Amino acid sequence: DCIARAAERDSAEALMQLSEQLIEKTHAPGDWPELLARELCRNTGCMLDAWAGEHGLRAETVSRGFGRMFGLTPAAFRAEARARNAFALITGSDLPLAQIAAADGFADQAHLTRSVHALTGSTPGAWRRSNPFKTERSASE
């Protein structure tokens, strides 16, 4: 209310009062499912046992709690994150599929193909062929 009243008089004063009250939010211990989800998206090679140990939790607790929060296991979440990362590279770059597979932690190109197909309903090659907005690099480059 104080900031709202100040804003009616002087917006600069209200902004100063608001900025004085801002504090950096730290994650509470109960926010670990969100922290794990971010880590699994960022690092698809993240190992659940190691992550749980670093955060003072048991792997079984993490697996059950994550499942209740997101509706799938951390392993399934990680697999989908890996497929999404690969799909972004498939549609947004011209890197060879085998290179994308290796970079995203797939066992091989066939593993990548199965995962992307399960996620999108089409194979990586089909996505590349159907992507009309991609242009060929000119011969002068």
Side-chain angles (χ1 to χ4, degrees):
D1 290 343
C2 178
I3 295 171
R5 285 192 299 275
E8 291 172 352
R9 293 185 311 273
D10 182 6
S11 60
E13 173 66 25
L15 182 60
M16 187 174 73
Q17 287 182 16
L18 180 62
S19 64
E20 289 172 357
Q21 293 182 21
L22 293 177
I23 56 172
E24 185 175 337
K25 181 183 179 217
T26 58
H27 288 281
D31 288 345
W32 64 260
E34 183 65 32
L35 292 173
L36 178 56
R38 278 195 211 131
E39 181 64 19
L40 291 171
C41 288
R42 188 186 65 75
N43 174 13
T44 56
C46 174
M47 300 305 295
L48 185 61
D49 289 343
W51 190 92
E54 290 170 11
H55 291 84
L57 300 165
R58 291 176 33 120
E60 298 81 10
T61 302
V62 169
S63 185
R64 281 191 307 271
F66 191 90
R68 280 193 305 270
M69 176 75 101
F70 290 99
L72 60 157
T73 66
F77 188 93
R78 177 181 35 235
E80 184 171 327
R82 183 181 292 146
R84 287 178 184 276
N85 289 344
F87 181 70
L89 286 173
I90 289 163
T91 59
S93 76
D94 56 358
L95 291 171
L97 296 179
Q99 187 176 346
I100 293 172
D104 275 337
F106 289 97
D108 53 24
Q109 185 175 332
H111 184 201
L112 165 83
T113 298
R114 288 189 304 274
S115 295
V116 170
H117 185 271
L119 177 69
T120 67
S122 292
T123 64
W127 279 108
R128 286 216 162 144
R129 287 187 299 277
S130 71
N131 200 342
F133 56 87
K134 288 182 79 172
T135 58
E136 294 293 324
R137 293 181 187 216
S138 66
S140 62
E141 288 186 77

